[in-house]
Amino acid sequence: YDAAIVASGSVERLGDIRPGASQPVAVRVGPGSPVDYYQTDRIVGQLYPNGQHDTRYAILSAALNPRQNYASGVDLGTVSLIGWLNSPVNPVKNPETGEIAQHNTLFITTIPIDLPAKSETIPSQLLMREQLTPSYGSRLDANRLTVNSGESVAFQFMVPVNPTQLNLHSLTLATSTETPITGTLSIFNWRQQAWDTVPFAVGNLSIPNADRFLSPTGAIRVRFQYKAPTAGPTIATFTRFQLFVTGSGR
């Protein structure tokens, strides 16, 4: 009931989906953040606009808003189905009357996407990203990523395609900065189980031998360490930091 497809920050309502039914879906994915900053709590406002705050709003808000649920927030995939089940997984009854308690069961699942047989670049906003390094050495908001001198920032990107159905053609790291910077770029080599250093340059950087950097589960790990030049700025500011994955379906 009240189902919706969420792709990055875009929401497409589906209404109720009955057992055995199917429904075509078209979702227009927005441009996203230039540093792929993503706030799941904004999805709640799109699903429940105009102050429609009820029990379901409270449940979904607690699940997706990290400010309300620090311990066990729900991580959405890049393309997810959100809805409500019409029966409880574990029904609770009043021991005296036998009446089943009122329930609201939130259902969230990640949906993989298929690429066509021709080469296609996956929009960067459809790559699920997780920061692997502590946040005290870097700052991230919707418009920029900053890294302190001597500190590193590392991300794990998950492709929304089943890796067994993906022919990976290329990886490109697209960056732009407020001032010229130098640093060390490393990408995790899953075959060797070690970080490989890749010569870094601001702009659209093509990463050679891309296959070695894609894990069997579809993960790509990227790490950047900023080295401030003598008398240079102590903070590197990226106004763009995006990974582009190009491939085709099998």
Side-chain angles (χ1 to χ4, degrees):
Y1 290 89
D2 294 333
I5 290 287
V6 177
S8 184
S10 301
V11 174
E12 180 70 19
R13 291 178 173 273
L14 305 180
D16 299 340
I17 303 177
R18 301 296 178 179
S22 61
Q23 184 167 337
V25 178
V27 181
R28 181 179 296 276
V29 179
S33 160
V35 291
D36 287 343
Y37 182 76
Y38 182 42
Q39 287 181 291
T40 56
D41 53 317
R42 292 185 177 180
I43 296 170
V44 182
Q46 296 182 62
L47 291 173
Y48 294 90
N50 305 320
Q52 299 174 9
H53 297 176
D54 56 11
T55 301
R56 289 185 174 181
Y57 170 87
I59 293 173
L60 188 61
S61 182
L64 300 183
N65 191 336
R67 291 187 293 272
Q68 294 188 28
N69 191 350
Y70 294 97
S72 56
V74 175
D75 291 328
L76 289 179
T78 53
V79 181
S80 298
L81 173 66
I82 296 179
W84 301 88
L85 302 182
N86 65 341
S87 59
V89 178
N90 296 302
V92 178
K93 293 184 178 180
N94 185 315
E96 297 180 358
T97 65
E99 183 180 359
I100 297 178
Q102 181 181 2
H103 63 270
N104 288 275
T105 305
L106 175 63
F107 177 81
I108 298 178
T109 187
T110 297
I111 301 176
I113 64 174
D114 295 328
L115 289 182
K118 65 177 183 179
S119 185
E120 188 90 8
T121 298
I122 301 173
S124 66
Q125 57 268 43
L126 290 185
L127 299 178
M128 186 169 64
R129 187 177 71 173
E130 175 187 1
Q131 187 165 343
L132 301 177
T133 46
S135 59
Y136 58 77
S138 62
R139 298 289 183 272
L140 178 67
D141 61 33
N143 298 310
R144 60 179 50 83
L145 166 67
T146 61
V147 186
N148 296 332
S149 179
E151 299 285 353
S152 298
V153 61
F155 298 104
Q156 175 169 282
F157 299 85
M158 296 294 298
V159 298
V161 182
N162 186 334
T164 63
Q165 302 299 318
L166 172 64
N167 289 315
L168 181 63
H169 297 168
S170 66
L171 292 176
T172 301
L173 182 66
T175 61
S176 58
T177 57
E178 291 186 345
T179 58
I181 65 170
T182 57
T184 301
L185 177 66
S186 303
I187 304 180
F188 193 76
N189 185 328
W190 295 95
R191 298 176 183 175
Q192 301 297 326
Q193 291 295 297
W195 290 94
D196 285 0
T197 300
V198 176
F200 174 73
V202 175
N204 292 340
L205 178 64
S206 179
I207 299 170
N209 303 318
D211 282 343
R212 56 184 169 157
F213 302 125
L214 179 68
S215 82
T217 59
I220 303 167
R221 293 180 175 178
V222 177
R223 182 177 67 190
F224 176 79
Q225 182 181 30
Y226 175 48
K227 297 180 180 179
T230 304
T234 59
I235 297 178
T237 301
F238 288 93
T239 53
R240 188 184 188 192
F241 195 98
Q242 295 176 309
L243 184 68
F244 291 93
V245 179
T246 300
S248 60
R250 293 180 179 177

